[in-house]
Structure formats: C-alpha cells, structure tokens
Amino acid sequence: MAAAHVPGGLPFNTFLTVRQAEIKSIVKLLEDSDHGRRAFQTLPRHMQRRKVSLNPKRLPRYLLERHRREGGNNAKITRRPSRKYRRRPRLLLEEYNRRQKEFVWLETHIWHSKRFHMIRRWGYALSDESTYKGYRSSIRAAKSSCLAQDISYMCCIELEGSPTAILAGLKRITQPRDLSSITVPGVQQGHQWETVTFFKPDMQPHGALGDVDIMWLPTVSCHADNPSRNVRLWIWVHPSAHNHIVEAVADLYGLVKINSSSDSKDQKNVEKKDAVDVDEGDVDNEIVHKVTEDVKEKELGASIKRKIESTNSGPKKKKCKNVNRVKLALKNIPFDRTPKYLNSSGVSMTLLKDTLCRFRLTGPEAVSVLKAAFFPANVQVENLEDNSIPDGECVGNISWCKDYYCDEDKLQCHKAQVGAWKGLTGSSIKKRMVLPLTVRDPRATLPKKKTPIQQTKGADNSFASIPWPVDSPLYSSEIRDTISLSKEPDCEVNKRRAELLVPGSALPEIPEESKLPILLLTRPSTHAIGYGSGLDVIVCSGWGMSVWLPIVLNGGVAAGQQAEANLLMEFLTPQTPNLLPDTPSGSYYSDIIAQERRVEYFKRPPSCRYNYIKLNIQYPFSCPWVRLVQDWNKGTQNIYVLRNPDLLRYLANCVGDAFDVVRRNKGKQKCPEEFASNDSPAESVDLVMDEINESLQEYNVISKGTDKIKGKQELSKYEELQRSAPGCLVKVKIILDEKGSVEPSAMICLPREEDIEKKIKNEVVEPIQTDSQQEQRAELKREHNRIKRKIHDMKTKTKMKVDQEFSTGGFVQSQPTFKKVTEMALQHLEDSNKDIFEKHRSYNSNMEKLWLMRKDHELQCCSLKIVGYITHGTFSMTIGRGAGIGWVALKPLLDYLHSHKKSQSSNDDADTDIKVNSVLIRNPSSLKYFWGKLFIIK
C-alpha cells in the first residue's frame, strides 16, 4: 500500500495544532477514566443517593445500561459494619485509651461529656458548663445545699527526706509566715493541711509560682517504738503551675530524674530472653527434640484433664475482661511507674500526678451528702479465713484489709475514726483538717435513683473534743496499688444487687466486700457570712466513678469550670495560678485569653465592632500589669502581689473592711460565727449591703480609734506598705452603687474633686475622641484593592502566556504537564514581585493594628487616672448588684488614701458624697463611668 502524502498546500502549524488538541483530549480521557468506579459514583455529589444501588430508576438514563452491566441490584454492597459491631467492648476500650493521647480524661469524663460542654485546658479534657443548668443553680447549691466538682486534675507531688533538709529547702521558696504555718505541730503531725505560696528560690516576694496545698504525712505509725527517720509530705499543685514547681523543687534540692524500676525490670527480662535464645542455639538437636516431646506430652495431658473437668462441671464460664486495668494502663500505676527524682543527700521527689482522684464538695450540706454516700466499714477480719476469700483478680482488695488491720493498734485507730465521723457536722468545719476513714464499697450502698439531701445531726458530744487519728492505709503506695488494680468489677456488684429481694436497697455488708480508704480535707468558709465551706475527698485512682456517682445521687449538684469561676466571684475563694498576674502561668494564659478575645473581635464586620480609638481604650483585651506599675513607679521591672495578711488587714481597715468582718448586729442579723454554726447560711441580700454601708459610715471612727490606740503599730505598717509599694499589686473586689454591669478588662479609676457634683446626677462620662486612624484604614483598603486587581491581572496574563506557549510549542510526552508549568510560572511571578505579594499578605495584620490604639501612647490616656483593672466581672447573686474582681497598684491607692484622710481632717464638717473606697469603673465598650465601692480581699 502506498504511503499517504501530505498535500503541499496544507499549513504545517494548523495541522500540528489540531493533532495536538486531539492528543490532549485522549490524554485527558485516560487521566479521568471511570475505571474502578460505579456508575452512580460518576455523578456529582449532590446527585448521588444511597438508594441508587437498590433502585436503578433513580439514575439518569444514560447510566442505566452501565449500571446493569456492573451487576445492578445483584452487586455486592460494601459498607461499614453496623453500630453493634463497631461498639464492641474491646473496641470501646481501645478507643477510650486512644483518645486520651493528647488530652487526659478524668475518670468521670464520660459522665460529664453527656451533661456538660467540655473544654481542653492544662492538658486535660474538663467539664466547663452544664447543658441544662445555668449560673444560678450552681450558686444556689453552694449557698444552701451541696455543689460537687471533680478536681482530679490537681497534681500531687510527694517529697521525702530528712526533716532538716526538707525544711531548709522550703525556707528558700516560701515566705517566713507561710513556713511558720506549715511547721506547727498540728500540721507536721498530719492533723491539718495548709495553703502556702511557692516562689522561685530566694526571690520572695517576687517570682511567685502559685499557691499549693501542703499535707504532712504521719511520721509516726501506730507503733510508737518504730518511728520513721524521714518525713513525707504531699504538695497539691494546680496543673497550670505543675511544671514550674517541679522544676523549681528539682533545682532547689539538686534532684536528678531516675529511671523507674519497671523499665529496669523490662530491660532485665529482655536480656534474660536474649540469653536464653543464645543458649538454646548451642544445644544439640537431640536434646531439643526430647524436651519438645516432653512438653507436648504434658500439654496433651493437661488438655485432656481440662476437658474432663469441663464435662464434669458443666459449661465453661466466660472470663470477663478487667475494664479497670485497661483504663489504668495509661496512668502511672503501679507506683514503680511514677517519675522519681533523687539527690545524693537522700531527698526524693515522686510525681503522683493522675494517681489519686480528688472531689470537692462546697456548701452547708456537704457533710450530709458524704454521710449518705459513705458508710464506715467493718474491718474486723477475725472471722474471715483464707479459704473464704474468693479467687480472682479482686482478692487483693480483700487481703490488704486483713493484713493491715490485723494489728490491734490500727484497729483501735479505725474505731476512733468511726466515732469521730459520727460526731462530724457542717458546723464543726472551722479549720483545715485531715480526716482519714475506711469505708465500705460505695457501689454496695448506691441508691436506685437520685434522692434529696437528708440533713444529719451530729452526736451530743462536741466534735472538737473527739480525737481523730491520722493513720490511713492510703499513705502506703503498695496498698494504693493493690486497691486500684484489684478493684472488683461493676458487673459482679450489680449481680449481687440484682439478687436482692427489695430492688434498690443497700447490700448487706459481708466480710468479702471491698474496703476503700479515703481522706477528707475540710475547708472553712471563705466569706464573711459562712459561704464557701466544704470538704475535699481523696481516693485511689480507679475508684473515681464509683465515688462520684454516690455523691451525685445523694444530692450533690455537679459543676464545672464555669461554676468554679462563679464561686471565685461570689465567695472569694482562692485563685488558681493561671489567674494570678505575677506567676508564669498567669502571664501565659492571660496572653491566650487576650488572643481569643482579639480573634473574636475581628470576626465581626467593621460596622459591628467597638471603635476603641474613639472610646479611648488602649488595652481592650488584656490587663497590662507591668506597664501599670511602671507608669506609677518609674524603673520598675517586676511585679508581685501583696500577700502579707497583716498589711492586707491594715489596708482593708483603712478602705472599709465590710466583707471580712461583720461589725455590728441589728435586729435579726447574725454574726459570722452564728452563720457558721447554723445548718444553712442566710439568704438575705440586705445583710451584706447593710454591713457595707455601716462600715463606710464608721470609717472615721475606726481610723481615729486605731490612730489613738495603736499609733506606733499603724505607723510602722504604713511605712512598710510604702516600702512595698513599688511594683506591688493588691487584689480587690468592686461593687457598683447603682445599676450596671462589669466587664473583663474594665478600668478602675480614681475620682476627682469635680466629680462630686456629677455623682448625684451620675453623669461622669469620658469625652469621645476623634479616630485619627480612620483615613489610614481607608487608604490602606484602597491600596489593597489596587494591589489585588494588579495581582489578578498579572496572574491572568501569566496563565494566558503559558497556555499560548504550551499550545504552539509542540507536545512532548516527557515534558511537564500544563498544570505544573502554570504553577512554576506563578511561583516565578511571586518571586519577582515579592514586595507586592508581601503587602497583599500583610493586609489583615496591618488593618487590625489600625483598628486599635498604638501601644507607644501613654497609659493614662483617659481623663481619669487608671489605678487597676478588673479581670472577672458579672452580676453577683449574693449581693444583687454588678461586681467584679481585679487588681490595683498599691502606690496610687496609698496616695489616694493619704489625700482623702487629709481632706477629711481639714473638712470635718463638710458633707461629702465620695467615701474613702469610692472609685469609678469604665467598661471597654462604654464611655460612661459607674460609681462603685472598692474592698480589699485578704
């Protein structure tokens, strides 16, 4: 056949272009081939349906024939297994541990996740706010009943060593007053616990790390002739400051981290296994064959024996998986797995993080809830013989009780604890006491449904006269491991409860029942009228859910992190380290909160944002503590919080101490001691407000009386405050005089003399400022639009040029595809025009800067002098008005008190409306100032 000739009149470029287009279409079809996909999968997403494979008529007509060729309705459908098979126990446990790799779950996580909004904070997944209860329910429960919180995220550090070495180290990281409080006999013997502040070594009062709870473990056991040389103490730390305190303590004592014994054991086992493998390789084949034959015979005999036993005993019972052990696999249990630090002098530190569960009960009915949830155990085990102990994994939980309480002295200690437990009431909680007790398994007495709180009354004798021994099996690491790892499964307890004649009743106590040691830490009230008192319950890890359910079902109201912040506002509870301005965790988390508020602010459109330039607000998202102190004290580098109780008490008396001392009783009002002795505190709001007004009216009398009686002491305290003023912050509470709200980052300002007349009309308003950066924002936006159009045109031209060159330059299979060539051309365009593209990318950040005031402006940019900021503000339920908690600089506060005192002494007869603690509050979103009262929090 003759070869085809190309006509001479055919243009070569046109012919090549047409052929190239055909080749492109063929390559595109090959790349976009439908091979491997079903017919309905070629449709767009919005046209695909689940019932297509079952009903072919739901497909377009041009795909029906292909669908039938693929098998149609007879085609096997591959889909995920049903939920029944996806949620098997084995998979659930694996998923439970897998999802905790980034954020640790508390043992009550699943219970809380069904009822609360969860947040991720400090490395834990914590409950934040209830899905069906509001702000008032938690405050009502803490005031009149019982509020329950799971604070198992609190980290425990065990410190052990000689008393001299331990106290020498604590002296360098605590203040002298705190050191004296933790060295009193009651605390060192383990009867009480104290809260102190840890600092960086030798930097007091600067360099605060956070507040910690210290418990001395009993050094002398029940045997008086066998005292321990070393002492142990537990340091409870908030997770936000845990790493800082661990590093500080390690540097203080020169501790070095050592490998856990479990790791060394595993290494030894591996070495043994390797040695055995090597030895077996050198043995003759005849010996190996003989040994294997003997093993086979033994295995065969054992299997026959098992078959005979199974036929005689009936069907084999299915072995249940130990769910508790699987859940504890990620925790430092047993004790050998806990991180340990040691030095040459014998001081050791063990991190007991996530090995103990801690629950906090707040309210006057906390003791009633505990008495309904826990019952003292009968630990007399003389009738319990070894043969009666059931076999299984829970044998350890019974054997430890028999071994521990076989000693007569420890048995007498338990009886004394039970006697003191019967006399415990809510009115007897006046100190920070440590109350150990061994109780029954809480699951055995669990009520069938939630029951109301039943108020319990103590015995006739006084609780204070009953001694409470501090010996507890919970202090032993071996017993804690036994209790955690040998917990009886819930299914076994439920089976015994199902066999009861009366459903829902408590199981009768039997010798084989599990015993649980607990620690009760009493907390006295933090408010003047008795609010904030309660108890903390400490139990072994693995028993968290078993203890939490009885507390909730017996009347405890569950709460989360939001309720804890509300209690801080209402009852003046201690602040966590992440809220203290002079701690590393406080500065770190304040930056995070400021960034979250900033992002939320710029999510709004420009028409819905507050113009902080016109409002004259320089720091709307955060509180500039360092700059505030530097503005009043030039050259100050570091800040610290005033923590001296004597100085705070003196300062509170000067300002008006209405929240810590109720000075006079009128009519039916009661003093704080009477409130503490009653079962339920007063609900009246008028009580607090009357006391506030009364303390303000008696200010002159108090100040003059103190000057006459304690002139020298007051003068020395004032001079000490003057020396402490540079860089010092004081914690205060603000209460508004009239209606209004308090927002975070609100400014606390001092009033002027001309504001006295405006107070009657309540017309103290900040003058509005002109937006000097409005034109810059408009110009930046116009420039951004020009740059955006220019970049768009440049990219369009680049793509057209590449397309033209690619279409006319011929097609070679080895060359890159059109998409890659386009990407390379755009990247080259961006590299050659870096300035334009950089301006385009930095538009958002530059625009955000122009929406806010510049940081190089003066801090005192308002018409009134700023002395502090409010960190948390809301509507106070105990007072019935807007209130907030914040910090003020000490130096301007002392100057204001001094000037006010001089004006009062010169104008004794003048009737002024501004009291000594009257301040003005302005929210970042408003120009109006609110009058309020300032009180010192001690």
Side-chain angles (χ1 to χ4, degrees), residues 733-756:
K733 181 167 183 175
I734 304 295
I735 301 176
L736 299 183
D737 292 344
E738 302 294 338
K739 293 182 179 180
S741 62
V742 181
E743 300 175 2
S745 301
M747 297 173 292
I748 304 174
C749 304
L750 296 179
R752 302 166 298 184
E753 293 182 359
E754 55 267 24
D755 296 331
I756 300 175

Side-chain angles (χ1 to χ4, degrees), residues 215-228:
M215 294 171 46
W216 291 84
L217 273 62
T219 56
V220 181
S221 61
C222 294
H223 297 284
D225 55 347
N226 187 22
S228 177

